[in-house]
Amino acid sequence: MIFLIPFSYAQKKEISQAQEFIKSRKSLDKAEESMRKLLKDSVNRSNIKIYLTLAEAVRAQYEQGNEKLYLKEKYDTAALFITAHKMFEAYESLDSVDARPNEKGVVKIKYSKRNAEYLNTCRNNLYNGGMYFALNKKCDTAYRLMDTFIDCVRQPLFSGCGYREDAPLNKAAAYFTLYCGYKMQDPAKALKYETLALQYDKRHEFALRFVAEVYNMKKDTANYVAMLTRGFNEYKDSPYFFTRLMDYYNGVNKLDSAFVTVESALAHNPGNELFLFAKSNVLLNTGDYEGCIAVCDSLIARNDTLADAYYDAGVAYINMAFNLEKTVRASKATRTKLLSYYRKALPYMERYRALAPEQKDKWMAALYNIYLNLNMGAQFEEIDRMIRNS
């Protein structure tokens, strides 16, 4: 006759064996593994002894590793941080079972106070571990540790520890969850603690950049532009926010907004070459060609190697010629004025070609029109040949 051993007995035996391993500080990984195996069966998920034994097995591993590091014995620092994270997860799971009402509907929490007191002394190793993995470009692991560090604030287990979400280290941890989430291209993770991350003063500008990039990744244009605007208002000297904001406004033809932005930038720093060039570009796009040329000339007077300033001024003169052709009836006076625009465009565009020879798509067409209208035969033939062979 075959006798089946009741599962409860086998369960008790595994728990007892695991506890022996814990007491002897040997085979702790086996103790952990056996408890995790038991918890895979839903029948066992209400047995608090399994959760308690699992937590104690992981804690013993953590303490062994910590002791080895303290004694400067050979030990993997990364492993200690991973074990610390597992320990917090194990004790939080234990606490959730400990907080369940008994058969009479009464909650009698037995373990949380002493466990919270112990874990409070270890919590900073979650942050330290997150930093360690972030610096080693293991963003997934770094994220998990920082997330658990911040999450302690909302965990009932730590309700008596006085944790505040806006504590300085929580803000720093939130910044790193933003950074890691961005690096993992996971918008949901990156933005989980967005508000808190933006409160981290030491990396505030970078936090704004990452949040903007994540919204752009999500194709959330409204929030992307809002974050660029906020960044520009707070960091006007940062090319990051200014250039992207201008690119957006120019791209969607919101030239009034682009002009307001560039004027605000110049009010802050009137001599900034980037801001001045952006203004010349807005003026060119809005048809204020004389204004564009004036700004370009002031830029060239400051720095005669700014290729794009020559290009904008040259295009402004060519556009003035085009407009004259379209709006005024042909006459000798008109022709004279038309040719004067092309003559004025010529040195700007030739200088642009010399400074940016690789930008053929921009200067070939412009010089073609200039040489054609000024009847510059040899130069025209050269450009015509280049265009036909391109």
Side-chain angles (χ1 to χ4, degrees), residues 223-375:
N223 277 314
Y224 173 62
V225 174
M227 201 54 58
L228 291 180
T229 303
R230 177 177 171 180
F232 168 69
N233 288 334
E234 294 183 28
Y235 299 97
K236 282 193 166 63
D237 288 319
S238 169
Y240 175 89
F241 300 109
F242 177 75
T243 55
R244 284 161 178 77
L245 201 52
M246 294 299 291
D247 285 346
Y248 169 74
Y249 287 139
N250 287 323
V252 296
N253 204 35
K254 290 186 175 181
L255 299 179
D256 288 345
S257 297
F259 190 77
V260 169
T261 300
V262 79
E263 287 292 88
S264 174
L266 284 168
H268 169 73
N269 188 346
N272 187 291
E273 290 181 358
L274 173 64
F275 299 161
L276 285 168
F277 173 69
K279 182 173 183 176
S280 81
N281 207 245
V282 173
L283 293 171
L284 180 64
N285 290 336
T286 56
D288 185 351
Y289 301 127
E290 290 183 355
C292 171
I293 293 163
V295 174
C296 289
D297 284 344
S298 71
L299 274 168
I300 292 166
R302 292 165 178 267
N303 183 349
D304 63 2
T305 62
L306 292 173
D308 287 328
Y310 289 97
Y311 180 78
D312 275 8
V315 170
Y317 276 120
I318 293 171
N319 285 352
M320 289 168 76
F322 287 164
N323 285 345
L324 189 64
E325 284 184 300
K326 287 188 292 184
T327 59
V328 181
R329 285 195 329 186
S331 68
K332 186 175 180 181
T334 302
R335 182 65 183 167
T336 300
K337 194 171 185 180
L338 186 75
L339 293 178
S340 74
Y341 288 147
Y342 282 116
R343 286 193 188 96
K344 289 176 180 177
L346 176 62
Y348 288 104
M349 205 53 70
E350 287 189 328
R351 179 62 173 156
Y352 177 70
R353 176 184 179 179
L355 291 171
E358 74 286 354
Q359 297 293 330
K360 290 182 180 180
D361 289 345
K362 295 173 75 172
W363 51 256
M364 279 196 305
L367 286 173
Y368 179 93
N369 279 294
I370 293 170
Y371 294 149
L372 176 64
N373 280 278
L374 295 180
N375 199 24

Side-chain angles (χ1 to χ4, degrees), residues 86-101:
K86 288 197 300 180
M87 180 173 68
F88 271 76
E89 287 187 320
Y91 274 111
E92 287 170 5
S93 295
L94 167 62
D95 186 64
S96 67
V97 178
D98 194 21
R100 291 175 186 171

